[in-house]
């Protein structure tokens, strides 16, 4: 977890308040039957705890080569109405590998709508393979919000 930055004096005050709120929340759970999750949530709100940001890690040269080897080539709807994303990978290595790709579906602002996964089995050096992946989290009506895709990572085994 990440806590909002404050000055040292204010931080001491926040800790003191947090300890007091924690004690109150603990008492409240005994008296009112309030759930521990609700008390923890109230405590996090009071001390300004935020969701951690996903750090943008700069890929190494080898990771970049693998990421560049994968791309979304088309989207389509199958006969039962499932939205399919075709992901293509060309093995940039000198050995046969299994690959696992993680791809983000992004909206017009570049915000993540869903993360998709594709598995490529027994791909030989220089071989180009296309695999299907499906949306699982997005409602059908929300799929039109997808404007682009970004390959986050590709792992070779």
């Amino acid at each position: 977890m990440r806590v909002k930055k404050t000055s040292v004096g204010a931080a001491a005050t926040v800790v003191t308040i947090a300890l007091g709120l924690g004690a109150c929340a603990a008492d409240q759970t005994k008296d009112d039957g309030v759930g521990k999750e609700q008390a923890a949530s109230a405590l996090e709100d009071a001390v300004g705890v935020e969701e951690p940001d996903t750090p943008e890690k700069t890929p190494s040269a080898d990771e970049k080569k693998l990421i560049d080897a994968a791309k979304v080539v088309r989207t389509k709807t199958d006969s039962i109405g499932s939205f399919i994303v075709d992901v293509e990978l060309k093995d940039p290595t000198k050995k046969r590998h299994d690959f696992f790709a993680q791809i983000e579906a992004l909206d017009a602002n570049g915000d993540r709508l869903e993360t998709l996964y594709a598995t490529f089995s027994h791909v030989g050096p220089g071989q180009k393979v296309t695999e299907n992946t499906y949306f699982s989290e997005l409602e059908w009506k929300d799929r039109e919000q997808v404007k682009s895709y970004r390959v986050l990572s590709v792992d070779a085994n």
Side-chain angles (χ1 to χ4, degrees):
M1 287 193 288
R2 187 172 57 118
V3 177
K4 291 179 181 174
K5 294 179 183 175
T6 60
S7 66
V8 175
T13 303
V14 169
V15 170
T16 303
I17 292 170
L19 292 174
L21 287 172
C24 290
D27 288 341
Q28 181 112 8
T29 59
K30 290 181 208 167
D31 297 341
D32 296 353
V34 174
K36 290 179 183 177
E37 292 174 6
Q38 290 172 322
S41 176
L43 179 61
E44 289 175 358
D45 291 342
V47 296
V49 175
E50 296 178 351
E51 289 293 319
D53 291 332
T54 304
E56 290 290 328
K57 181 185 119 184
T58 304
S60 69
D62 288 340
E63 290 170 329
K64 179 95 171 94
K65 187 192 302 185
L66 288 173
I67 289 170
D68 290 344
K71 64 183 176 182
V72 171
V73 290
R74 78 184 143 272
T75 58
K76 58 189 175 191
T77 305
D78 68 9
S79 61
I80 61 170
S82 297
F83 192 68
I84 302 169
V85 178
D86 288 342
V87 180
E88 182 181 272
L89 178 125
K90 183 175 180 182
D91 185 351
T93 69
K94 295 181 180 180
K95 292 183 178 179
R96 182 173 297 278
H97 288 285
D98 295 333
F99 294 92
F100 181 76
Q102 186 176 0
I103 300 108
E104 281 186 330
L106 307 171
D107 67 11
N109 297 322
D111 295 327
R112 184 188 84 78
L113 295 170
E114 183 169 348
T115 303
L116 307 166
Y117 304 93
T119 303
F120 304 86
S121 300
H122 308 293
V123 184
Q127 183 181 359
K128 191 183 290 187
V129 178
T130 302
E131 293 292 339
N132 299 330
T133 186
Y134 299 85
F135 284 102
S136 60
E137 294 175 18
L138 288 178
E139 295 292 326
W140 180 254
K141 62 182 175 36
D142 297 329
R143 294 188 176 145
E144 64 190 34
Q145 295 178 20
V146 176
K147 300 301 179 196
S148 63
Y149 297 90
R150 174 176 54 201
V151 178
L152 290 179
S153 65
V154 177
D155 296 319
N157 296 321

